[in-house]
Amino acid sequence: MTHTSVALLVPAAGSGVRMGGVRKPFLKLAGRSVLGRALGPFLARPDFVEVVVALGSPPDALDPVFRDRRVRVIPGGTSRFESVANAFGHLKSEAGLIAVHDAARPFPPPAAIDACVQLAARGIGAVAGIPAVDTVKRASGHGVIAETPARETLWYAQTPQIFPRELFARAVEHCRAGGPAPTDDASMVERLGVEVRMVQASVSNIKITSREDLAVAEALIAGGYI
């Protein structure tokens, strides 16, 4: 494991519309909050020296995750990019690597975290994800199929995504200067024309966006898969 220090940015300002406006980070999974589970594998590592969570509303101050002095809360933005940029702007440490992880992903695989850290420490952007197993279609706005990309070249991007700090800072400024808002941090960094690699993660690294996802998460815990 590299000894390079890492700062973790956690966008968590979503309104949870698809789940009826619930605060997803503080939903409970087998007695622990989604946020607590999402941060657990990072806080277990001494190289993660700072965690900045961008929330859209006041935190649940009683959540045990806030007992760790490395964890701070700042206001989120109106988009994922704004929340990430706000968190980045509030960093206090001089961490050499910047990681981003979705608050709604409660089961980040420790092996994928480690692999991403090691790549980023070598100056290469790293994105956790899994290879596509379904055939993917590119279609027009009317649903007309335009292309069937080769499945073996496609991945489902997840988080964490980890980058050298200087590279991440340049990407944030480049994004602020114009262009469409990035849908993830890798797409922001890719615009600089630098190398970013996929890192094998796990199908259990789900993102909770609906009640069905919550049921899947509970089943993974009950079945001993987590």
Side-chain angles (χ1 to χ4, degrees):
M1 183 188 302
T2 176
H3 294 291
T4 303
S5 59
V6 192
L8 177 63
L9 315 179
V10 185
S15 58
V17 171
R18 281 174 285 186
M19 294 184 69
V22 300
R23 302 177 70 201
K24 290 186 294 183
F26 301 108
L27 288 173
K28 291 295 192 290
L29 289 172
R32 290 179 64 191
S33 69
V34 170
L35 179 63
R37 289 184 177 275
L39 298 189
F42 300 98
L43 295 175
R45 298 176 55 114
D47 53 346
F48 278 77
V49 297
E50 184 177 13
V51 178
V52 182
V53 183
L55 281 172
S57 56
D60 178 356
L62 298 179
D63 193 305
V65 73
F66 297 116
R67 295 174 188 166
D68 193 307
R69 294 183 179 180
R70 291 172 289 177
V71 181
R72 291 185 294 112
V73 173
I74 59 102
T78 57
S79 69
R80 186 183 192 281
F81 169 71
E82 287 183 6
S83 289
V84 170
N86 284 353
F88 184 60
H90 280 79
L91 288 180
K92 294 181 177 180
S93 73
E94 298 297 323
L97 303 181
I98 303 299
V100 183
H101 184 64
D102 296 323
R105 290 191 189 273
F107 310 128
I113 295 172
D114 195 56
C116 286
V117 167
Q118 292 192 43
L119 267 178
R122 291 165 48 195
I124 301 168
V127 178
I130 55 174
V133 295
D134 301 308
T135 296
V136 178
K137 304 288 187 180
R138 186 175 66 81
S140 70
H142 300 290
V144 178
I145 295 173
E147 180 187 8
T148 303
R151 186 173 64 190
E152 57 270 19
T153 67
L154 301 175
W155 287 66
Y156 302 125
Q158 303 173 340
T159 60
Q161 301 185 6
I162 306 182
F163 309 91
R165 184 173 186 145
E166 182 274 335
L167 180 62
F168 192 85
R170 283 200 291 127
V172 169
E173 289 308 309
H174 186 266
C175 233
R176 281 178 170 153
T183 55
D184 75 344
D185 312 288
S187 60
M188 177 178 73
V189 174
E190 289 160 27
R191 295 178 189 178
L192 300 177
V194 300
E195 181 178 353
V196 181
R197 293 187 193 175
M198 296 301 304
V199 169
Q200 180 80 47
S202 170
V203 295
S204 65
N205 189 21
I206 63 172
K207 186 176 183 180
I208 295 177
T209 60
S210 67
R211 293 286 179 185
E212 290 82 359
D213 297 325
L214 196 61
V216 170
E218 291 170 340
L220 288 170
I221 295 171
Y225 297 104
I226 300 302

